[in-house]
């Protein structure tokens, strides 16, 4: 299976069938007015639009950075737009899919977060990564890092840039960037670790990097997540391998997750492998896609990082590809199967793919993270692939699962991408849901993001809906699928606000 499947899935899923059980109805709202006096800075939202056209160049891709204003939330008018042509970094080309993955980190340790953008379709699907560095004076520069220029063994179809995650993986104080190429080396997959530095060129030093290899066509690196599972002060890297063979006497490509414990470098790295059978909550079966998605969070409030694992092709009884999510908790040393859970959301439905997307955030400010599970191909009573999102509240909360269902037929693929992010500066997170199949007036599947703001009583039932019609510098077009990739850019330094201050309108 080639990387083209990644980018054609939105068209293919229109053939999927099934019925979901309807629950809570949430409404659209164009106005959001939280109370004043936030306690801290607000993060900005990075939205990848990998199917955006650049003139006549189809699916060249862009990203939109939208500022979260303290005491308010997302302000669409504060959008900054980037393409692969920004700062003359490279020439947009057809099917580059710039923005397929997005991440942020302070790679040059100047106190301001930079942005990494995956471009897996670049150069015959070999792939690339663009990095936008920001400086205290409000300026920025974008660097183009092509896989074939960086790595001698690169080849067509590697899809370098499919998944990204940033963090300090070697403990030197600089954020590093992990970049996956799931089809590298005949689909074995690999994860490339680029190290942050104070080199003469800003940020990621390219003279030294490490490669972590997959094996036996397991698609090592289809998903990535970070956390300090062993509490040694250095990030560990979780790597999803959804096509891994976990059989002993026969081939069973159910999938696995490998935990690489930091510090990560060229020497020996302690690792731990998990299969669905090993969790004690489910059985590894052919085609489950265990590890297709990952997210970390402290779900039981004990101060240690836990791991949620998407299994979007899990069968529920005789119903194929209904999907599930496994959760592993931390035993104060590392991940352990004690207390592990499995979640099936909304009842069995063929091709629903529960767990296709995941997120975590403390949406009610109680000190523990809540788990968000996306089923973007769930059907409503009136529309196929309407989507649904379920929020499982972390301990000590005892409230029922909160379910988001599309409020009208403009929605499609609700929950294709998910993000827990603090957009207001208050002591709770907010939930951003990608709705790439949303059709605004006069358009078809131009896409949208839906925001539910958190609070002490949970998530707000009034959704703020933002399409590219509300953003500066870009225009909504048919089949843009805006909302298919999301990431957070935290406010690490006061000068960060200088980038957006001239555009804030209250």
């Amino acid at each position: 299976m080639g990387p083209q499947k990644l980018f054609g899935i939105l068209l293919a899923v229109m053939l999927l069938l099934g019925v979901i059980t309807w629950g809570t109805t949430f409404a659209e709202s164009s106005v959001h007015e939280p109370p004043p006096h936030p306690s801290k800075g607000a993060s900005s939202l990075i939205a990848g639009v990998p199917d955006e056209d650049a003139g006549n160049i189809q699916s060249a891709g862009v990203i939109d950075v939208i500022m979260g204003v303290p005491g308010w939330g997302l302000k669409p008018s504060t959008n900054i737009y980037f393409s692969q042509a920004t700062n003359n970094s490279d020439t947009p080309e057809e099917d580059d899919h710039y923005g397929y993955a997005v991440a942020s980190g302070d790679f040059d340790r100047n106190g301001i977060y930079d942005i990494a953008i995956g471009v897996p379709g670049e150069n015959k699907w070999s792939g690339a990564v663009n990095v936008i560095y920001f400086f205290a004076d409000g300026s920025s520069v974008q660097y183009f890092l092509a896989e074939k220029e960086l790595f001698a063994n690169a080849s067509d179809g590697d899809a370098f840039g499919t998944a990204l995650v940033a963090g300090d993986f070697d403990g030197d104080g600089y954020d590093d960037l992990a970049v996956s190429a799931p089809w590298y080396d005949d689909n074995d997959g690999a994860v490339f670790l680029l190290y942050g530095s104070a080199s003469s060129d800003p940020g990621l030093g390219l003279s030294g990097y490490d490669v972590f290899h997959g094996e036996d066509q397991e698609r090592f690196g289809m998903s990535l997540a970070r956390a300090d599972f062993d509490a040694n002060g250095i990030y560990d890297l979780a790597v999803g391998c959804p096509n891994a063979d976990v059989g002993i006497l026969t081939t069973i490509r159910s999938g696995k997750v490998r935990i690489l414990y930091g510090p990560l470098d060229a020497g020996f790295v302690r690792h731990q492998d998990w299969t669905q059978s090993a969790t004690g909550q489910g059985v590894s079966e052919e085609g489950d896609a265990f590890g297709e998605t990952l997210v970390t969070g402290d779900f039981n409030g004990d101060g240690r990082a836990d791991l949620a694992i998407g299994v979007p092709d899990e069968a529920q009884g005789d119903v194929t590809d209904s999907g599930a999510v496994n959760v592993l908790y931390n035993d104060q040393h590392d991940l352990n199967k004690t207390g592990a859970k499995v979640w099936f959301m909304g009842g069995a439905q063929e091709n629903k793919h529960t767990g296709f997307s995941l997120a975590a955030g403390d949406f009610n400010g109680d000190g523990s993270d809540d788990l968000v599970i996306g089923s973007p191909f769930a059907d409503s009573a009136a529309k196929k692939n309407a989507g649904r999102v379920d929020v499982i509240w972390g301990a000590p909360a005892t409230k029922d699962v909160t379910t988001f269902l599309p409020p009208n037929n403009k929605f499609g693929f609700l929950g294709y991408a998910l993000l827990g992010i603090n957009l207001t500066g208050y002591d709770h997170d907010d939930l951003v849901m990608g709705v790439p199949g949303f059709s605004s007036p006069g358009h078809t599947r131009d896409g949208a993001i839906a925001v539910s703001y958190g609070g002490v009583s949970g998530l707000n039932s009034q959704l703020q809906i933002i399409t590219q019609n509300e953003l500066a510098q870009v225009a909504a077009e048919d089949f843009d699928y805006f909302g298919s990739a999301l990431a957070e850019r935290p406010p690490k330094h006061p000068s960060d606000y200088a980038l957006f201050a001239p555009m804030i309108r209250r």
Side-chain angles (χ1 to χ4, degrees), residues 147-164:
E147 189 204 28
K148 288 185 177 179
E149 295 174 3
L150 296 175
F151 315 116
N153 294 328
S155 61
D156 295 350
D158 287 348
F160 176 78
T162 293
L164 307 172

Side-chain angles (χ1 to χ4, degrees), residues 102-426:
V102 283
S104 67
D106 186 6
F107 305 119
D108 52 2
R109 206 170 68 174
N110 68 348
I112 303 174
Y113 272 83
D114 312 307
I115 299 175
I117 305 104
V119 196
E122 172 75 29
N123 199 357
K124 298 180 180 179
W125 306 100
S126 170
V129 170
N130 283 48
V131 183
I132 303 171
Y133 296 96
F134 292 95
F135 308 104
D137 62 2
S139 63
S140 66
V141 62
Q142 183 169 186
Y143 280 69
F144 172 72
L145 312 175
E147 189 204 28
K148 288 185 177 179
E149 295 174 3
L150 296 175
F151 315 116
N153 294 328
S155 61
D156 295 350
D158 287 348
F160 176 78
T162 293
L164 307 172
V165 67
D168 183 6
F169 296 108
D170 59 357
D172 67 353
Y174 291 85
D175 281 339
D176 313 306
L177 181 66
V179 184
S180 78
W183 284 274
Y184 181 87
D185 194 15
D186 194 26
N187 301 337
D188 289 359
V191 174
F192 297 83
L193 189 57
L194 308 178
Y195 295 100
S197 69
S199 61
S200 56
D201 291 328
L204 298 170
L206 303 180
S207 59
Y209 60 87
D210 284 318
V211 185
F212 300 90
H213 294 274
E215 58 187 11
D216 192 23
Q217 303 180 37
E218 67 184 5
R219 298 205 298 272
F220 185 84
M222 180 60 74
S223 59
L224 299 172
R226 69 170 198 197
D228 185 9
F229 295 115
D230 55 2
N232 68 346
I234 301 174
Y235 276 125
D236 311 311
L237 181 64
V239 182
C241 315
N243 201 48
D245 178 10
V246 302
I248 298 176
L249 299 178
T250 60
T251 298
I252 303 175
R253 292 199 177 277
S254 174
K256 74 177 184 184
V257 175
R258 171 161 290 187
I259 311 298
L260 300 172
Y261 285 92
L264 303 183
D265 54 33
F268 173 78
V269 174
R270 181 170 72 94
H271 71 268
Q272 181 184 36
D273 287 347
W274 287 95
T275 66
Q276 191 173 29
S277 291
T279 69
Q281 298 294 318
V283 177
S284 298
E285 299 167 314
E286 181 71 25
D288 281 347
F290 179 84
E292 182 82 17
T293 52
L294 301 169
V295 74
T296 62
D298 179 12
F299 301 120
N300 57 3
D302 66 355
R304 299 295 294 273
D306 310 310
L307 178 66
I309 303 166
V311 199
D313 295 346
E314 171 83 1
Q316 191 172 351
D318 294 331
V319 181
T320 60
D321 296 338
S322 184
V325 175
N326 285 87
V327 180
L328 293 168
Y329 294 95
N330 201 307
D331 66 357
Q332 302 299 309
H333 298 286
D334 50 26
L335 297 175
N336 191 285
K337 71 176 183 178
T338 301
K341 295 180 179 178
V342 62
W343 295 93
F344 300 89
M345 310 309 302
Q349 177 195 137
E350 187 176 4
N351 298 319
K352 183 176 62 171
H353 298 290
T354 291
F356 180 90
S357 56
L358 299 170
D362 184 3
F363 303 115
N364 57 2
D366 66 355
S368 64
D369 286 322
D370 312 304
L371 174 62
V372 190
I373 299 174
S375 306
F377 308 124
D379 295 345
S380 72
K383 185 178 181 179
K384 295 184 183 302
N385 305 313
R388 73 178 277 154
V389 172
D390 294 281
V391 182
I392 301 172
W393 298 93
T398 58
K399 62 172 59 182
D400 294 335
V401 172
T402 296
T403 301
F404 291 83
L405 298 169
N408 54 56
N409 283 341
K410 290 185 292 185
F411 281 67
F413 309 119
L414 173 66
Y416 187 91
L418 298 168
L419 181 66
I421 179 175
N422 191 319
L423 295 170
T424 63
Y426 295 104

Side-chain angles (χ1 to χ4, degrees), residues 452-469:
S452 174
Y453 290 92
V456 293
S457 60
L459 289 162
N460 198 314
S461 62
Q462 293 293 315
L463 301 181
Q464 180 188 19
I465 305 299
I466 298 174
T467 70
Q468 288 194 102
N469 294 309

